[in-house]
Amino acid sequence: MLTSNGYTLDDSPSRLGRMEPVPDAIRRDKDALWDRLRRDGYLYLPQQLDPQLVASFREYYFTAMADTGITEHGSDPAVGIGAQGEIDRAKIRAALFDEIVPGERYAALTGHPDIRGWFEWFLGDDVHLHRRKIIRHIRPGESGIGTATQAHYDLVYLRQGSERVLSMWIPLGDCPVEQGGLTYLEGSHHWALAAERERGDRPPAASITADLPALAEAHDARWLLADYRAGDVMVHSSYVVHASTDNVDPQGRIRLSTDIRYQR
């Protein structure tokens, strides 16, 4: 049973499905990738990054968070086992915003040649990395409204930029479905774009809903999931609706991820 913000997802075949990764045969075919992105709203790129690069950053992150209470005392920071006790939110903010986010390790990851170079190739130009870069960790067992990412599409948060911005979501470690990875509402970029262009809708910078099952029902669509591995990335349109599920990982691992945005 999968939940998001406490809502149980409908697991019937008409409401829940699996994402298809980009086939190896077209990984270097730019036109085919653009066709796929326009059709699906996302590109699932397995092993775009060296898994060791991701594993190294995961270990660095949880080492920096060692005295915040989010990881099990004495556990291996490379694994990131979630603790169940109290956390020190002030120390978490300090580690994030004083050390990790402005630090060289995060800059090296988000600007890595396998990321920045890929966008330069795919967009066919010099590229700009948006300052809106987000790192999220979710411990197992956390649930309720506001825990998992609610349904939204990215453009509502990027109104001062170009609508031709692409997001990349990077799981920082293996992230099977039970760990609460990103999920996409199938075909949602078509109706989101149509609403903005045809009716002039400009939704505010806010999520659509925390109730993923109701949104799927309203649009007669499926939420699409995947078992991500360290090194996999997702590239998606600024119009595709996405969210995350709750972390119920039986091994107790924290879900760690980052999302970044590039444009010409």
Side-chain angles (χ1 to χ4, degrees):
M1 183 180 71
L2 294 174
T3 63
S4 178
N5 288 293
Y7 291 94
T8 301
L9 274 65
D10 181 348
D11 62 0
S12 64
S14 62
R15 292 290 175 265
L16 199 65
R18 289 274 176 167
M19 281 183 284
E20 292 294 331
V22 172
D24 290 341
I26 65 168
R27 284 289 287 262
R28 300 301 300 174
D29 186 335
K30 191 187 301 186
D31 290 339
L33 290 179
W34 273 110
D35 287 344
R36 193 178 183 93
L37 180 62
R38 292 186 185 103
R39 182 193 72 190
D40 297 341
Y42 67 84
L43 297 173
Y44 176 11
L45 300 171
Q47 302 302 279
Q48 175 67 25
L49 304 177
D50 181 349
Q52 186 53 46
L53 172 72
V54 173
S56 176
F57 187 86
R58 184 178 178 89
E59 181 175 17
Y60 157 73
Y61 183 92
F62 288 123
T63 298
M65 291 281 180
D67 64 348
T68 66
I70 68 169
T71 54
E72 192 68 43
H73 180 70
S75 63
D76 184 352
V79 180
I81 299 297
Q84 298 303 310
E86 293 296 317
I87 58 174
D88 190 322
R89 297 187 184 279
K91 287 184 177 180
I92 290 174
R93 287 193 295 271
L96 269 176
F97 300 117
D98 295 342
E99 179 180 350
I100 297 171
V101 172
E104 293 182 0
R105 292 288 297 271
Y106 189 50
L109 174 68
T110 58
H112 191 276
D114 289 337
I115 295 176
R116 187 181 189 92
W118 185 89
F119 279 108
E120 288 174 339
W121 169 76
F122 191 59
L123 295 172
D125 204 345
D126 292 334
V127 293
H128 167 69
L129 172 61
H130 282 238
R131 291 184 66 184
R132 187 182 179 85
K133 297 177 287 188
I134 300 170
I135 303 179
R136 289 188 177 90
H137 64 253
I138 300 177
R139 293 182 298 168
E142 295 181 329
S143 63
I145 303 298
T147 302
T149 303
Q150 300 183 29
H152 70 284
Y153 59 95
D154 289 347
L155 190 62
V156 298
Y157 299 102
L158 303 169
R159 288 301 184 192
Q160 303 306 312
S162 166
E163 68 177 28
R164 298 186 177 182
V165 60
L166 294 176
S167 297
M168 177 180 279
W169 181 78
I170 308 168
L172 296 169
D174 291 341
C175 187
V177 166
E178 306 83 52
Q179 207 175 106
L182 217 59
T183 178
Y184 292 86
L185 188 59
E186 191 172 29
S188 55
H189 58 302
H190 297 302
W191 55 256
L193 185 149
E196 290 212 3
R197 292 188 175 177
E198 295 174 14
R199 299 196 301 270
D201 287 356
R202 292 176 67 85
S207 64
I208 299 170
T209 182
D211 190 344
L212 271 56
L215 190 63
E217 190 69 25
H219 291 278
D220 190 19
R222 301 186 299 168
W223 285 103
L224 302 177
L225 305 163
D227 288 307
Y228 303 103
R229 294 179 297 152
D232 295 354
V233 304
M234 296 297 303
V235 174
H236 63 251
S237 156
S238 58
Y239 286 102
V240 71
V241 175
H242 53 286
S244 70
T245 54
D246 296 326
N247 185 355
V248 293
D249 183 58
Q251 298 181 41
R253 295 168 296 181
I254 298 174
R255 192 268 266 186
L256 181 65
S257 66
T258 187
D259 44 290
I260 59 177
R261 289 145 192 92
Y262 273 95
Q263 70 177 68
R264 288 190 181 89

